[in-house]
Amino acid sequence: MAGTSLGILGGTFDPIHIGHLRMAEHVFNSMELEKIIFIPAYVPPHKLGQDFAPAQDRYAMTELAVAANPHFTVSDMELKRTGVSYTIDTIRQLHAQYGDRELNFIIGADSVAQLHTWHNIEEMLELTRFVAVWRPGYEGAMEEMVQHLGQRARERVLLLDTPVYDISSTEIRTRIRQGASLAGLVPQAVEKYIYEHGLYGCQMGDRK
């Protein structure tokens, strides 16, 4: 029923882009959610040692990107915790805060077969439902997941057919370094922020 479920979209958002927003809008409408909470990671465990924009900048860009959408919001809970951003800690905090809502943690199709490697995955499957944004090429991922986690996981992971938005943060960062246009890739407010703050190797103020 609409208004009883929340969508949770975590990520590095380095930077957030149009693909993130369109995918979230599709999930929101398809599942009739109350709202979707974007949660920028402080230090993602799978990206330890990598170079990415400061957490406060990624949070600020996410806020700018969702500002015009009344059913999108941003949480800084992982930034406040600092340290490595383990998903289980975020889910526990959300469950305590929104205990009367069903939590729907949105993941990519590529993550389904790897769920068994996630920290405290059994507890996560009890506290939240996973919504996998689906696309061709990952047909065997669900069976692989069940082999590792059992039939209970099948009940707690929903496959949602989602349009493919062929945009990546890696591509955007490359285009910034090359001085190429970001038109149609990020919201204008995010593009403005990147050039005003000299992120990703651009020159401050040199907006394309």
Side-chain angles (χ1 to χ4, degrees):
M1 181 183 301
T4 62
S5 298
L6 303 176
I8 313 300
L9 183 57
T12 313
F13 301 128
D14 192 31
I16 190 167
H17 55 66
I18 296 296
H20 292 127
L21 301 175
R22 289 178 178 168
M23 180 270 290
E25 185 73 25
H26 179 82
V27 174
F28 176 85
N29 290 324
S30 297
M31 300 189 64
E32 299 184 311
L33 300 176
E34 177 182 344
K35 64 179 176 180
I36 291 184
I37 305 172
F38 289 69
I39 306 180
Y42 185 71
V43 179
H46 61 289
K47 293 192 175 182
L48 286 174
Q50 295 186 29
D51 206 13
F52 42 87
Q56 291 296 340
D57 287 321
R58 292 184 284 108
Y59 177 83
M61 288 187 287
T62 305
E63 277 199 314
L64 289 170
V66 308
N69 195 319
H71 47 254
F72 288 174
T73 188
V74 187
S75 170
D76 62 354
M77 63 172 60
E78 294 195 358
L79 276 66
K80 287 181 175 177
R81 280 205 310 267
T82 71
V84 175
S85 300
Y86 285 110
T87 304
I88 183 58
D89 296 324
T90 298
I91 290 177
R92 286 170 179 161
Q93 187 171 344
L94 289 165
H95 185 72
Q97 185 174 353
Y98 299 104
D100 60 336
R101 306 289 204 280
E102 181 175 35
L103 302 179
N104 298 275
F105 198 88
I106 303 165
I107 59 175
D110 56 331
S111 296
V112 173
Q114 301 301 318
L115 279 176
H116 68 282
T117 68
W118 289 31
H119 189 56
N120 284 31
I121 183 59
E122 291 82 4
E123 182 181 355
M124 279 193 269
L125 289 169
E126 293 301 318
L127 296 180
T128 187
R129 176 169 60 176
F130 286 90
V131 178
V133 290
W134 208 240
R135 61 194 60 182
Y138 293 94
E139 288 76 9
M142 194 71 169
E143 294 307 318
E144 186 174 346
M145 179 200 70
V146 170
Q147 288 178 12
H148 290 288
L149 296 174
Q151 290 297 325
R152 172 61 173 161
R154 189 189 299 276
E155 300 170 4
R156 300 296 288 168
V157 179
L158 171 68
L159 307 182
L160 185 66
D161 285 331
T162 309
V164 175
Y165 304 109
D166 192 18
I167 304 174
S168 76
S169 296
T170 300
E171 173 196 359
I172 291 167
R173 295 193 300 270
T174 298
R175 291 180 69 85
I176 292 169
R177 288 192 293 270
Q178 294 173 344
S181 170
L182 301 184
L185 300 177
V186 300
Q188 288 186 349
V190 172
E191 180 179 3
K192 183 171 183 282
Y193 186 97
I194 289 170
Y195 283 102
E196 285 183 346
H197 292 78
L199 301 179
Y200 310 118
C202 72
Q203 297 300 311
M204 292 183 66
D206 186 22
R207 187 181 180 191
K208 302 301 179 186

